[in-house]
Amino acid sequence: MSKPHQYHQPNAPDSPGEDSDSDIALDVDELGLSRRKADDGLDGPSQWHPGSPDNRIPLRNLRVSRNRGFGTQREHDGDREADTEGLLQHHSGGRVSDGNLEDSAPLLDSNTRSTARRNSSDQSLRKPSSRLARLFSSTPNKPPPVPRERHDSSSTTATSRSITIGQRPPPRFPPNSVSNAKYTAWSFLPRTLYNEFSFFFNMYFLLVALSQLIPPLRIGYVSTYVVPLVFVLSITLGKEAIDDIARRRRDAEANKEAYTVLRLQDPVSPSKRKGKKNRTARACKKRDRSGIASSYSGRLDAIEEEEETLGQEGKGSSFEIQVDELSIRSRDIKVGDVVKLGKDQRVPADLVILKSSSAESGLVASSSLQGQSSASAISGIGADTASHSQDLPSLSTTSGNDESMKPRNDPADVEAGGTGEAFLRTDQLDGETDWKLRLASPLTQSLDPREFARLRIAAGRPSKKVNEFVGTIEYTPREDLEGNGIAQQESQSQKAMSAPLTIENTAWANTVLASNVTVLAVVVYTGAQTRQAMSTTPPRSKTGLLDCEINDLTKILCALTLTLSIVLVALEGFENREEMKWYVAITRFLILFSTIIPISLRVNLDMGKSVYAWFIERDQGIPDTVVRTSTIPEELGRIEYLLSDKTGTLTQNEMELKKIHVGTVSYANEAMDEVSSYVRQGFVTGPANDALQPSSLVTPLSSYSNASTGHQSTRTRREIGSRVRDLVLALALCHNVTPTTEQEHGRSFTTYQASSPDEIAIVRWTEQVGLRLIHRDRKSITLQSVETSRIVVRARILEVFPFTSEGKRMGIVLQFLQGDESLNPTADNAGEIWFYQKGADTVMTSIVAANDWLDEETANMAREGFRTLVVGRRRLSAEHYQEFSSRYKEASLSLQSRDVRMARVVREHLESNLELLGVTGVEDKLQKDVKPSLELLRNAGIKIWMLTGDKVETARCVAVSAKLVSRTQYIHTITKLTPDTPPASALDALSLLRSKPDSTALLIDGDSLSYFLNHHRWEFISIAVLLPAVIACRCSPTQKADIAYLIRQFTKKRVACIGDGGNDVSMIQAADVGVGIVGKEGRQASLAADFSITSFHHLTKLLVWHGRNSYKRSAKLAQFIIHRGLIISVCQTIYSIAAHYEPNALYRDWLLVGYATVYTMAPVFSLVLDKDVDEGLANLYPELYKELTHGQSLSYRTFFVWVAVSIYQGSIIQGLSQILVGSVDSPQMVSVSFTVLVINELIMVACEIVTWHRIMVASLLGTAAIYVGSVPFLGGYFDLAYVWSWGFAWRVAAISAISLIPPYSVKILRRTLRPPSYRKVQGL
């Protein structure tokens, strides 16, 4: 047969044949090779076994092997064996379709199809040298060893993936839907029933109801015990179902949000595709039958057929792809879809950005696009690559996830939309206020959208790490070339390109596109596999503390019931019973006394919760509040710890420069008008009355003009004006802000884009005082006077030193242009070179020149809650700058410790003895009424923690400005603890907190918090829970949830969490009470929360007023229902003793059911309308709320008080009824006893009411009328003739008075001697 490399020659052996998509495989034995080891880049040593089916090699690989760098055409035939060795290595390590999308190569035979192996090492992505070497390789020697998915049915969703854009993904990827539901159709009944019967009294009544199926234990009607239990379960399950259905409906609204998706469609008809597949299948079967020993001619025929097919498909195929824009719902977005996003649009899934450009230019090519080819796209990539070649050395050691080593193409370095940049707001994901700069890969930025079908993305497995991503993108163009398929395939292989993907190329779900650009991005993770979803804990069923306390009390009642039953049987004797066994008698007594644990308790409490929820949702003082979990409103009255997010919860994430200080004078509020006048005077550079006369440009050394003042200014005023001008100029130049022009309603206006909202606030302020930024790119910056609309400053950008969390400062080296405004910025009119720098006072103090006012002024601004920035400058000579530049470039080429060396050069040559220009104070605007709300909550005894993903300095300023930390409290800061920190030093950091816990607040960063949670969990939490305030910065969503869980576990107290972003969902679900604020960017937190509000200050009313009422009412309701059951059980006990200890019922059938429902339910339930104080007093005296946290309204003490009252009243009612009537078991005695019982309950309800409501009056009078009206129908239980006699009346009156007067007298006496707090504040 011909040599392998002959198939690349024009005179390769011809063999006629029809088109076929099948790929013919060679066996290794035919090549005469022994088994060889696989390429070193694989997971491990792999050996070839001759004769094995897996040893077949696709002839497609044989044909194009030299183009892929494995078997380059040799000039001598003696190199054939080496060529084939490279072929084998490609077969073992080459790219194989993983099942997500089909490769453009023909399908392999099922017996020869190799399984794609997952590379265990990502060294080519992580090693800088490998990363750069493969950045834009046109002839890659090896495919990038990135994580890949297995191509078998056992693959799980946790594996990595390979995505071909525009094709349907496999079904194993989850749908892109949001779900906050607790139950499914299958899990609803099992989970809800388990939750219900985990309560002791529900299980108790289930056993009682089941006991009625045993004839010896049956007492009365079975329905008397079964129906109430079913009713209780129906009410509770119905509430859970309604709540969950409401959650699903809200999720459906979020999942219906419309997005624009590009569909890349192949115009080839389905019938042709089906025909190709059928021919492929037939060819594979034929090959299987023919075996390995096929004739050479047959193999060559198949090769020639395939090459002819490739040649035909290649002609013009790059533009056969049609791009259609479709609007689909968020839940219908799939992996591999290309999503089109615009400004302020929420990202629906985890995306990789392919292309970004200004909104005006548009992105998607229309049908009028002609003349543009993939060749031009490729040339564009090459040009882009060349333009970035000067930055490549700085990328050589850059880690994909290390922010400190990012390439320096920040917003100031690139023109908006020119090189695929976009800004994202990620505060809903990680809590950080700074915008994140995201970039499209240069490989895809200049591609036509129709070329996206040639892209393949390899991404790692789903992860919860929002700041990490590793992947690659590969582009395989197919040009419109004439000629045979071999030449075309050769060209395709030569121009295949790949590039790495990092976190800078991603847009995670729930972030928001902030810049005015249009972005095309491909979906890589959906639904449950997105970063946000994986950082979220699943919802749990929450049980209130009041329910747990009542559950404990019912256990005491059950023990009391069992003891009473045993005592009654023992009094007669265990052996003296002839009618029934003693254990049967005990069981019957248990059933008779089951009313001690009233089953109506759960019904009344659940109905009360619904009433409380109704009150909350219809309170006009907290509009649009939604109760999503109606089973825990009482928990609002028991909160002792409040965990709050910062961004969007306490603050609006809107920055405003409020104050500046220039050394001798400070300006704030109305004084800013004086700053504007200084700026106007300082930038007057030409005749004010001649608009046609060009003005001269201003430099820092330009003299300060005061001609516009109309009089000779004093020297002091000129000096102050000059300093103000210099500070404003520095603030207008030293930043990374890019101005963009937008149009709205036909009006153009300028907006600013930057990674930090602080810088945007400063640039907006400079515009307000008269100096506007109109242009900024990587090379130049231009300023305009607002008053004259003339360009006053032009400068070249020589160097930019971006802000980092370690350096806490940013700087810029500028060369000011001299001349007039008409000169081209690139003209050779360069002048002064200046270095400007701004940063935190902690680092700038040692950089600026000595002064006597900086420390004092920054401290004053910090006490006001401002974020301070110190601004300085230094003039550089040309020689000085040249020396610095050469040293800096030399340091940037270092392969080791590059950052350290570059920082050292900057520090040695620039950062010394800077002229101090001034200090700025930027305020992060707080939400409405945050300060008084936090103060009220603190006075209510609630300890407040602020958990944020933002920076330490930002959190400190907000804590001070919001009065979370008072002026008298010291802020103890713990930062930068690492796993290598010695335990002794870490514990020493906590020692100060232990000495003064009441007057010290803790500020801790995420790394230090993680250290304590992992190594000193209990030592940390035992001290932290005692502090009045804790501020935790750089917290991940998981850390927030861990803190909430840890506080609950350690203190056993109630914890509430409040937030507005998707990063707060885990914390909200981990809390006892989760409160979500409807944020500007999304509703994830509010949908997952138990209570949804629209502003933080609504929380105070939710807790102090509604929480108080819900808890106090439920506590009183629960105790009264227990009293109602106890008193009838005591009556039953007295009756059984008098009836010689026989387990017979005193009140049967309707009397027993009617007593708990018709005759007492409405008055008792009306207690849910009672209130001990009005709303004004509750807000005026928040200390009243602190009493609720002690649980005094429902405690063991109050419980046993009610038990004593029940025993007294039950004994009096039943004992005197039997004595005065003179009968133990007669209709007369039953009529007297039951009537007194009903009257006693109605009057007891009236005595417990503090604030009367018309519904209470109606329920009492209506119930009394119903009882009187029902007496004629109770002839089966009463002696009706006796009921209408005077003897009945005086007996009822006497027994009622003896039963009611003593308990009420004791209550009045106790109120007089020890009045409760609510009576004190009312002055009663």
Side-chain angles (χ1 to χ4, degrees):
M1 60 178 292
S2 303
K3 300 177 182 180
H5 62 266
Q6 285 181 335
Y7 293 116
H8 301 288
Q9 307 301 328
N11 58 351
D14 296 333
S15 178
E18 297 296 325
D19 179 30
S20 174
D21 273 356
S22 64
D23 209 349
I24 310 301
L26 287 179
D27 195 278
V28 179
D29 293 338
E30 297 183 54
L31 298 175
L33 294 173
S34 60
R35 62 184 186 177
R36 309 181 65 89
K37 290 185 178 181
D39 185 72
D40 293 338
L42 295 174
D43 290 345
S46 176
Q47 294 182 342
W48 291 87
H49 301 281
S52 171
D54 289 335
N55 293 344
R56 298 176 181 269
I57 303 171
L59 290 184
R60 175 81 169 273
N61 295 346
L62 185 65
R63 293 190 302 272
V64 299
S65 60
R66 68 172 183 175
N67 299 321
R68 297 180 179 176
F70 299 118
T72 309
Q73 180 181 1
R74 274 66 169 175
E75 296 179 1
H76 306 285
D77 294 342
D79 292 334
R80 177 174 57 183
E81 183 174 351
D83 191 15
T84 312
E85 177 182 355
L87 179 72
L88 290 175
Q89 292 175 349
H90 172 67
H91 180 62
S92 61
R95 174 171 56 84
V96 183
S97 177
D98 61 354
N100 181 4
L101 304 164
E102 292 186 359
D103 198 354
S104 59
L107 294 173
L108 302 178
D109 182 70
S110 59
N111 291 331
T112 63
R113 186 179 301 150
S114 63
T115 302
R117 299 182 179 179
R118 189 189 315 146
N119 197 325
S120 63
S121 170
D122 292 337
Q123 295 179 358
S124 64
L125 290 177
R126 301 183 185 276
K127 291 183 179 180
S129 57
S130 303
R131 187 176 168 202
L132 271 180
R134 294 182 177 87
L135 186 59
F136 296 112
S137 174
S138 60
T139 58
N141 293 330
K142 296 181 182 178
V146 297
R148 298 203 183 263
E149 294 178 322
R150 297 187 181 275
H151 183 60
D152 54 24
S153 59
S154 64
S155 177
T156 65
T157 58
T159 57
S160 52
R161 62 193 61 193
S162 179
I163 303 164
T164 301
I165 297 177
Q167 298 189 21
R168 183 175 297 276
R172 66 174 177 270
F173 294 148
N176 191 49
S177 58
V178 176
S179 177
N180 292 293
K182 293 182 179 179
Y183 312 103
T184 65
W186 300 104
S187 67
F188 176 74
L189 278 179
R191 289 185 59 185
T192 52
L193 290 177
Y194 173 80
N195 292 334
E196 289 304 307
F197 289 115
S198 63
F199 286 99
F200 174 80
F201 57 87
N202 279 347
M203 180 60 70
Y204 176 81
F205 279 108
L206 176 63
L207 296 176
V208 170
L210 294 177
S211 69
Q212 297 304 291
L213 301 178
I214 304 174
L217 302 179
R218 185 173 300 166
I219 301 175
Y221 299 124
V222 177
S223 59
T224 305
Y225 301 92
V226 176
V227 172
L229 178 64
V230 174
F231 179 71
V232 169
L233 294 178
S234 300
I235 292 292
T236 307
L237 267 64
K239 283 171 54 60
E240 285 289 326
I242 291 174
D243 289 346
D244 212 51
I245 290 173
R247 293 188 194 97
R248 290 183 175 275
R249 287 177 177 173
R250 290 187 292 270
D251 290 342
E253 293 177 3
N255 293 329
K256 288 180 180 178
E257 188 175 357
Y259 287 89
T260 300
V261 173
L262 304 188
R263 287 287 187 237
L264 308 178
Q265 299 181 355
D266 189 347
V268 178
S269 63
S271 59
K272 292 184 179 180
R273 292 193 183 121
K274 185 175 180 181
K276 288 186 177 182
K277 292 182 179 180
N278 291 337
R279 290 195 299 271
T280 301
R282 288 195 298 269
C284 291
K285 292 181 180 179
K286 181 177 180 180
R287 182 177 57 189
D288 291 340
R289 291 193 298 266
S290 62
I292 299 176
S294 300
S295 64
Y296 288 148
S297 60
R299 295 179 183 273
L300 298 179
D301 289 346
I303 293 171
E304 195 65 29
E305 289 169 3
E306 183 182 350
E307 290 174 345
E308 182 180 354
T309 302
L310 290 173
Q312 293 174 356
E313 291 179 354
K315 295 180 179 180
S317 62
S318 61
F319 288 100
E320 288 180 0
I321 300 297
Q322 296 179 353
V323 179
D324 297 327
E325 289 190 9
L326 301 178
S327 179
I328 65 174
R329 295 172 295 188
S330 174
R331 67 185 181 190
D332 296 328
I333 293 176
K334 307 292 184 184
V335 172
D337 283 349
V338 178
V339 181
K340 181 180 179 182
L341 298 174
K343 183 180 180 182
D344 294 330
Q345 196 167 9
R346 184 180 66 88
V347 179
D350 285 358
L351 311 176
V352 168
I353 298 175
L354 301 177
K355 191 179 182 71
S356 173
S357 70
S358 59
E360 293 82 2
S361 63
L363 279 171
V364 181
S366 62
S367 58
S368 61
L369 275 174
Q370 296 181 5
Q372 181 181 3
S373 65
S374 52
S376 64
I378 296 171
S379 63
I381 296 176
D384 193 281
T385 305
S387 66
H388 286 76
S389 61
Q390 58 182 347
D391 295 332
L392 289 181
S394 63
L395 286 171
S396 60
T397 61
T398 300
S399 171
N401 304 319
D402 189 353
E403 293 189 2
S404 64
M405 298 289 289
K406 288 180 181 178
R408 292 180 303 162
N409 45 356
D410 50 54
D413 298 335
V414 289
E415 296 182 5
T419 56
E421 68 180 29
F423 285 101
L424 297 179
R425 290 196 295 267
T426 63
D427 54 302
Q428 299 289 306
L429 180 68
D430 55 20
E432 296 188 21
T433 56
D434 290 355
W435 292 3
K436 303 298 187 301
L437 176 65
R438 293 294 183 255
L439 304 170
S441 172
L443 186 63
T444 60
Q445 171 63 22
S446 54
L447 287 180
D448 186 277
R450 287 171 286 188
E451 288 292 319
F452 289 168
R454 312 295 182 202
L455 295 174
R456 179 184 292 271
I457 291 177
R461 66 183 60 190
S463 170
K464 65 172 63 175
K465 298 179 181 179
V466 297
N467 294 320
E468 294 183 10
F469 178 73
V470 174
T472 58
I473 186 167
E474 180 180 317
Y475 175 59
T476 309
R478 185 178 298 174
E479 295 186 349
D480 186 8
L481 299 175
E482 298 294 338
N484 56 38
I486 297 175
Q488 181 178 356
Q489 190 65 32
E490 195 172 315
S491 174
Q492 171 188 347
S493 179
Q494 288 178 348
K495 298 207 172 185
M497 296 182 179
S498 62
L501 296 175
T502 67
I503 186 65
E504 291 182 338
N505 308 118
T506 62
W508 298 142
N510 205 32
T511 59
V512 178
L513 183 61
S515 51
N516 187 29
V517 296
T518 302
V519 169
L520 297 183
V522 62
V523 179
V524 290
Y525 306 110
T526 54
Q529 293 183 349
T530 60
R531 262 33 178 200
Q532 178 207 349
M534 296 191 71
S535 300
T536 304
T537 56
R540 63 183 181 92
S541 297
K542 297 183 180 181
T543 302
L545 180 59
L546 183 71
D547 292 330
C548 297
E549 292 172 343
I550 293 175
N551 195 50
D552 294 337
L553 296 180
T554 56
K555 295 177 182 178
I556 298 176
L557 293 175
C558 182
L560 180 63
T561 303
L562 179 60
T563 302
L564 185 60
S565 302
I566 295 175
V567 169
L568 291 178
V569 173
L571 289 176
E572 186 178 0
F574 292 101
E575 303 296 335
N576 297 331
R577 292 184 171 275
E578 298 179 356
E579 298 180 1
M580 63 183 68
K581 298 293 183 179
W582 63 269
Y583 52 82
V584 176
I586 291 177
T587 307
R588 286 176 62 88
F589 272 123
L590 280 172
I591 297 171
L592 286 173
F593 295 147
S594 62
T595 53
I596 291 180
I597 309 173
I599 194 170
S600 60
L601 175 61
R602 191 65 189 275
V603 177
N604 282 271
L605 288 177
D606 285 345
M607 293 174 62
K609 296 174 192 291
S610 299
V611 173
Y612 309 148
W614 189 87
F615 284 150
I616 292 172
E617 291 185 340
R618 282 155 183 78
D619 190 338
Q620 297 301 317
I622 47 175
D624 300 324
T625 299
V626 179
V627 179
R628 305 200 188 281
T629 304
S630 59
T631 57
I632 57 171
E634 303 93 349
E635 295 295 273
L636 294 171
R638 309 289 294 276
I639 301 301
E640 294 191 51
Y641 291 91
L642 175 64
L643 275 57
S644 174
D645 179 43
K646 179 188 72 69
T647 308
T649 303
L650 298 178
T651 67
Q652 302 179 32
N653 196 23
E654 294 180 5
M655 309 299 173
E656 182 179 3
L657 194 149
K658 302 288 290 186
K659 188 176 184 180
I660 65 170
H661 195 286
V662 293
T664 57
V665 64
S666 62
Y667 299 92
N669 302 324
E670 293 80 5
M672 291 298 180
D673 294 337
E674 188 173 354
V675 175
S676 300
S677 66
Y678 285 134
V679 172
R680 286 195 300 270
Q681 299 169 22
F683 290 95
V684 173
T685 58
N689 54 359
D690 189 357
L692 300 178
Q693 183 70 25
S695 62
S696 59
L697 298 176
V698 175
T699 68
L701 294 182
S702 300
S703 60
Y704 178 76
S705 172
N706 55 16
S708 61
T709 61
H711 60 84
Q712 185 66 29
S713 299
T714 64
R715 178 179 179 181
T716 302
R717 183 174 178 83
R718 289 197 303 272
E719 290 179 353
I720 294 176
S722 177
R723 300 187 70 169
V724 169
R725 185 199 68 173
D726 292 342
L727 177 61
V728 173
L729 178 62
L731 294 175
L733 294 172
C734 186
H735 52 71
N736 281 324
V737 180
T738 302
T740 61
T741 302
E742 297 183 7
Q743 288 190 351
E744 184 176 349
H745 306 298
R747 183 175 59 90
S748 299
F749 58 95
T750 301
T751 61
Y752 300 106
Q753 298 177 4
S755 61
S756 173
D758 287 34
E759 293 197 323
I760 294 179
I762 291 174
V763 173
R764 284 176 177 168
W765 177 82
T766 61
E767 181 179 4
Q768 292 174 2
V769 297
L771 196 59
R772 179 188 292 125
L773 173 69
I774 62 171
H775 174 76
R776 168 71 185 265
D777 57 26
R778 73 175 70 183
K779 297 180 180 179
S780 64
I781 186 169
T782 305
L783 304 180
Q784 180 188 63
S785 172
V786 174
E787 183 183 26
T788 63
S789 298
R790 292 184 171 184
I791 295 175
V792 293
V793 176
R794 290 187 190 272
R796 291 197 188 106
I797 299 175
L798 303 180
E799 296 287 348
V800 176
F801 312 106
F803 179 89
T804 63
S805 56
E806 293 80 14
K808 299 181 181 179
R809 58 192 183 276
M810 74 85 57
I812 187 170
V813 178
L814 298 170
Q815 186 173 34
F816 287 85
L817 304 186
Q818 298 176 339
D820 59 56
E821 61 177 326
S822 62
L823 290 177
N824 191 304
T826 60
D828 189 14
N829 55 348
E832 311 158 17
I833 299 177
W834 288 82
F835 169 62
Y836 287 95
Q837 190 171 59
K838 65 181 180 183
D841 59 287
T842 54
V843 296
M844 292 294 293
T845 302
S846 60
I847 297 177
V848 298
N851 60 89
D852 57 356
W853 59 270
L854 178 60
D855 293 339
E856 179 182 0
E857 186 58 32
T858 54
N860 292 335
M861 288 189 181
R863 279 192 291 269
E864 297 181 49
F866 294 147
R867 302 164 71 167
T868 58
L869 285 176
V870 179
V871 185
R873 70 177 182 179
R874 179 180 179 181
R875 187 181 182 186
L876 306 177
S877 64
E879 296 78 11
H880 188 173
Y881 174 73
Q882 289 298 331
E883 181 183 359
F884 159 75
S885 180
S886 61
R887 291 284 304 278
Y888 190 69
K889 290 181 180 179
E890 179 182 352
S892 67
L893 297 176
S894 302
L895 297 179
Q896 295 180 350
S897 304
R898 175 185 302 167
D899 280 353
V900 176
R901 296 186 180 185
M902 294 171 67
R904 184 185 301 120
V905 172
V906 174
R907 186 167 57 252
E908 293 175 353
H909 289 77
L910 301 180
E911 294 179 341
S912 62
N913 203 30
L914 265 65
E915 177 188 355
L916 177 59
L917 296 178
V919 181
T920 65
V922 177
E923 181 187 49
D924 191 350
K925 291 184 180 179
L926 299 175
Q927 295 281 0
K928 180 182 178 182
D929 295 334
V930 163
K931 293 181 182 179
S933 298
L934 290 177
E935 183 179 2
L936 188 147
L937 294 175
R938 190 164 47 245
N939 293 334
I942 298 176
K943 294 181 173 63
I944 304 172
W945 291 38
M946 185 174 75
L947 311 180
T948 177
D950 218 332
K951 298 184 291 291
V952 174
E953 293 79 7
T954 304
R956 180 194 292 270
C957 294
V958 171
V960 173
S961 64
K963 298 298 186 290
L964 178 64
V965 178
S966 65
R967 292 178 177 268
T968 59
Q969 291 175 348
Y970 168 72
I971 301 179
H972 181 59
T973 304
I974 301 177
T975 57
K976 297 182 180 179
L977 295 184
T978 64
D980 299 330
T981 303
S985 61
L987 295 177
D988 287 343
L990 298 176
S991 60
L992 179 62
L993 299 175
R994 186 178 286 106
S995 61
K996 297 180 179 179
D998 296 332
S999 59
T1000 306
L1002 173 63
L1003 175 63
I1004 187 170
D1005 65 354
D1007 293 336
S1008 303
L1009 179 63
S1010 178
Y1011 175 84
F1012 282 119
L1013 294 181
N1014 293 331
H1015 298 89
H1016 306 288
R1017 175 180 292 257
W1018 296 112
E1019 292 86 347
F1020 170 76
I1021 197 65
S1022 62
I1023 298 175
V1025 295
L1026 301 176
L1027 303 177
V1030 177
I1031 303 102
C1033 318
R1034 295 296 188 187
C1035 284
S1036 66
T1038 305
Q1039 282 181 323
K1040 292 183 179 182
D1042 289 343
I1043 293 174
Y1045 175 76
L1046 190 59
I1047 296 176
R1048 288 175 48 220
Q1049 185 182 27
F1050 181 82
T1051 64
K1052 308 299 180 185
K1053 305 295 185 181
R1054 300 291 97 178
V1055 177
C1057 294
I1058 182 170
D1060 73 317
N1063 60 314
D1064 303 318
V1065 171
S1066 295
M1067 175 180 70
I1068 287 172
Q1069 293 176 341
D1072 296 298
V1073 177
V1075 182
I1077 297 179
V1078 180
K1080 296 180 180 179
E1081 317 301 349
R1083 299 169 54 90
Q1084 287 76 17
S1086 64
L1087 291 176
D1090 304 308
F1091 300 90
S1092 173
I1093 59 179
T1094 56
S1095 182
F1096 181 85
H1097 74 280
H1098 292 167
L1099 181 66
T1100 58
K1101 188 172 187 179
L1102 196 64
L1103 298 182
V1104 175
W1105 176 240
H1106 290 287
R1108 176 183 182 83
N1109 288 337
S1110 299
Y1111 170 62
K1112 297 280 286 188
R1113 291 165 176 173
S1114 287
K1116 183 180 292 187
L1117 180 64
Q1119 292 178 123
F1120 213 93
I1121 293 174
I1122 291 175
H1123 161 73
R1124 186 178 64 186
L1126 267 173
I1127 193 172
I1128 196 174
S1129 297
V1130 173
C1131 293
Q1132 175 67 50
T1133 303
I1134 301 299
Y1135 170 76
S1136 297
I1137 294 173
H1140 306 290
Y1141 309 105
E1142 291 295 328
N1144 296 322
L1146 170 61
Y1147 307 121
R1148 296 178 178 272
D1149 305 334
W1150 168 250
L1151 294 184
L1152 190 63
V1153 175
Y1155 171 75
T1157 55
V1158 177
Y1159 300 143
T1160 59
M1161 183 174 180
V1164 172
F1165 187 72
S1166 68
L1167 291 173
V1168 301
L1169 302 175
D1170 193 18
K1171 56 183 180 181
D1172 54 359
V1173 296
D1174 58 22
E1175 183 179 349
L1177 285 176
N1179 291 325
L1180 185 61
Y1181 299 99
E1183 294 78 6
L1184 292 173
Y1185 184 88
K1186 188 184 301 183
E1187 295 182 352
L1188 303 181
T1189 60
H1190 302 316
Q1192 296 179 354
S1193 298
L1194 180 61
S1195 61
Y1196 289 117
R1197 186 184 65 83
T1198 59
F1199 168 72
F1200 284 112
V1201 168
W1202 278 101
V1203 170
V1205 171
S1206 301
I1207 292 176
Y1208 169 78
Q1209 291 184 334
S1211 301
I1212 292 297
I1213 292 173
Q1214 186 59 30
L1216 290 181
S1217 296
Q1218 293 176 174
I1219 293 173
L1220 296 180
V1221 175
S1223 172
V1224 175
D1225 191 6
S1226 65
Q1228 293 86 351
M1229 187 278 297
V1230 172
S1231 61
V1232 172
S1233 173
F1234 190 80
T1235 302
V1236 173
L1237 192 63
V1238 173
I1239 293 175
N1240 182 85
E1241 286 303 297
L1242 296 181
I1243 296 177
M1244 284 292 291
V1245 170
C1247 293
E1248 288 298 316
I1249 294 175
V1250 178
T1251 305
W1252 283 88
H1253 191 279
R1254 61 179 181 272
I1255 295 180
M1256 296 177 174
V1257 178
S1259 64
L1260 286 170
L1261 297 179
T1263 299
I1266 290 174
Y1267 177 71
V1268 173
S1270 66
V1271 169
F1273 302 97
L1274 301 179
Y1277 310 100
F1278 292 174
D1279 184 347
L1280 297 182
Y1282 178 73
V1283 169
W1284 304 113
S1285 65
W1286 283 107
F1288 171 83
W1290 74 262
R1291 287 177 175 83
V1292 168
I1295 296 173
S1296 299
I1298 297 173
S1299 171
L1300 290 168
I1301 291 176
Y1304 188 72
S1305 300
V1306 173
K1307 181 178 180 180
I1308 294 298
L1309 181 63
R1310 182 176 176 276
R1311 280 185 179 180
T1312 303
L1313 298 177
R1314 297 181 58 185
S1317 299
Y1318 73 87
R1319 294 182 67 84
K1320 292 179 182 179
V1321 300
Q1322 289 176 334
L1324 299 177

